[in-house]
Amino acid sequence: MLTDAHHRTIDYVRLSVTDRCNLRCTYCMPEHMHFVNSKALLSDEEILLLLQTLAGAGISKVRITGGEPFLRPGLMLLLEKIASIRGIDEIAVTTNGVLTQPYIPALRQLGIRHINLSLDTLRADRFRQITRRDKYAAVMDTMQSLLQQQMQVKINVVVMENVNTDELTDFAALTRDHALSVRFIEEMPFNGQGHRFSGINWHYQKILDTISEVYPLEKIADAPHSTSLNYHIAGHKGNIGVIPAYSRTFCGTCNRLRISATGSVKTCLYGNDVLNVKEIMRDPAQQPLLLSAIQSAIHQRFANGFEAEKHHAEKHMESMSVIGG
């Protein structure tokens, strides 16, 4: 098993398969983004070797992220091969939904049911402002198809002051007729634009207070290692959650490892890269040391995101799309 110095077992990996995205969300990246050459990305063979190694050490859940993962050529074939790895019990995908709809039946066939859909507004004009792209209709079509095909859908909403806070109850209303989870995420300082991030006003408690003015909230049990605090509204089919991504209240139970599309490993979203597995796998002399290098990096993980941030050499400079957000 992979365990850090704070006695937390790591059994979940978030793996980015591309840094490319077909949206340009203002809180995530600059409008003109530089993407790496495809040769710099982990190949399919390297991803499979990496996940086989991690599965042998106790990793049982894989979340495929980007950028936008459906921009990676041959993604479905890669997912099929990942699904055959012994020890991987669950594969989930995070997507912006622009390209996803045609792949939903194939995802179901592979046994992939857990889909996180990034959606920060329910208004087409505002969607264009936030994402700098006119793709709202495609995303909504994907959401409807996911629900019709009984996928387990979580909608991720980044809460941004003076942008979408007037829509919190509109999102909560989605749970009335749909068996989905809407998760409100505190804004984080990873926009890739070098702007100094001075904190947030819309912390998770303020989000909950605002929703509860319209919809009384009942606390429900959180799953083990959950990053969200989860609630139910009486009479609704779905649930809502709040993710204290900036407040970082969940660090004590964190069970995840984050690996970028170029092989950089983060043991904490707020910390520096601690290792590059691509460099190890492409060096025959080092390849046998892959697992021990990962184990060593995990063992040195900080206790929480605040400690990691203190040691982060490039605070607030990275784009969330590059670090698999």
Side-chain angles (χ1 to χ4, degrees):
M1 299 294 288
L2 298 169
T3 307
D4 68 17
H6 309 283
H7 310 293
R8 293 171 296 198
T9 298
I10 312 303
D11 58 10
Y12 173 19
V13 62
R14 293 178 57 99
L15 176 65
S16 172
V17 294
T18 180
D19 66 329
R20 296 179 184 272
C21 191
N22 44 5
L23 301 181
R24 295 291 184 275
C25 297
T26 54
Y27 60 85
C28 179
M29 67 174 78
E31 184 171 6
H32 302 290
M33 185 74 181
H34 172 70
F35 298 112
V36 301
N37 186 284
S38 60
K39 292 182 180 179
L41 302 179
L42 292 171
S43 68
D44 285 9
E45 292 74 19
E46 288 164 343
I47 287 174
L48 295 171
L49 172 60
L50 174 63
L51 292 180
Q52 288 165 354
T53 301
L54 291 172
I59 293 291
S60 59
K61 177 178 178 179
V62 177
R63 176 169 295 280
I64 300 299
T65 71
E68 169 49 44
F70 288 96
L71 286 173
R72 183 181 176 108
L75 177 66
M76 295 308 300
L77 180 58
L78 175 61
L79 289 176
E80 182 179 349
K81 292 178 180 178
I82 293 173
S84 69
I85 296 176
R86 184 185 299 273
I88 300 297
D89 299 327
E90 180 182 324
I91 302 172
V93 178
T94 294
T95 175
N96 62 29
V98 174
L99 301 173
T100 313
Q101 186 182 29
Y103 298 101
I104 297 173
L107 291 170
R108 281 183 56 86
Q109 190 172 3
L110 287 175
I112 298 173
R113 296 288 191 274
H114 298 270
I115 305 294
N116 284 12
L117 183 65
S118 300
L119 179 63
D120 304 310
T121 179
L122 296 172
R123 304 177 188 181
D125 58 337
R126 186 172 285 175
F127 183 93
R128 192 181 308 111
Q129 294 170 358
I130 294 174
T131 68
R132 305 186 181 107
R133 298 292 187 270
D134 190 13
K135 298 295 184 181
Y136 179 75
V139 177
M140 296 306 289
D141 286 345
T142 289
M143 183 178 78
Q144 291 301 323
S145 294
L146 288 168
L147 294 171
Q148 288 168 4
Q149 299 196 45
Q150 299 181 319
M151 304 292 269
Q152 297 185 37
V153 180
K154 293 179 180 178
I155 297 178
N156 288 341
V157 185
V158 176
V159 178
M160 296 166 279
E161 188 170 15
N162 300 321
V163 176
N164 64 351
T165 51
D166 57 337
E167 293 189 65
L168 299 185
T169 54
D170 293 339
F171 273 105
L174 285 178
T175 68
R176 181 177 53 233
D177 300 320
H178 302 294
L180 51 74
S181 174
V182 177
R183 305 194 306 172
F184 300 97
I185 306 174
E186 291 179 343
E187 190 173 7
M188 290 174 283
F190 308 110
N191 58 27
Q193 301 177 65
H195 299 163
R196 183 65 186 173
F197 194 84
S198 57
I200 58 172
N201 291 320
W202 282 86
H203 51 77
Y204 72 97
Q205 191 59 59
K206 185 173 182 178
I207 294 169
L208 289 171
D209 291 344
T210 300
I211 296 171
S212 64
E213 290 175 1
V214 177
Y215 295 109
L217 299 175
E218 174 190 354
K219 185 72 180 71
I220 58 177
D222 302 323
H225 310 292
S226 175
T227 58
S228 61
L229 303 170
N230 300 290
Y231 297 82
H232 184 68
I233 300 168
H236 285 216
K237 293 181 179 180
N239 299 313
I240 72 163
V242 287
I243 299 181
Y246 188 75
S247 299
R248 286 163 265 186
T249 62
F250 48 75
C251 293
T253 59
C254 181
N255 67 328
R256 62 192 57 194
L257 187 67
R258 186 181 294 263
I259 303 175
S260 79
T262 56
S264 294
V265 175
K266 281 185 180 293
T267 55
C268 176
L269 182 59
Y270 283 87
N272 291 317
D273 298 343
V274 295
L275 179 70
N276 190 288
V277 291
K278 180 186 68 181
E279 294 174 357
I280 294 175
M281 288 188 290
R282 292 186 181 180
D283 181 349
Q286 292 193 66
Q287 197 173 98
L289 305 176
L290 177 62
L291 181 57
S292 62
I294 294 171
Q295 289 174 322
S296 177
I298 290 173
H299 194 71
Q300 297 175 55
R301 188 163 68 143
F302 290 104
N304 54 57
F306 296 103
E307 283 191 18
E309 188 177 21
K310 288 179 183 178
H311 293 81
H312 199 322
E314 297 180 355
K315 293 183 178 68
H316 313 149
M317 297 295 288
E318 295 167 299
S319 164
M320 190 57 121
S321 69
V322 173
I323 55 180

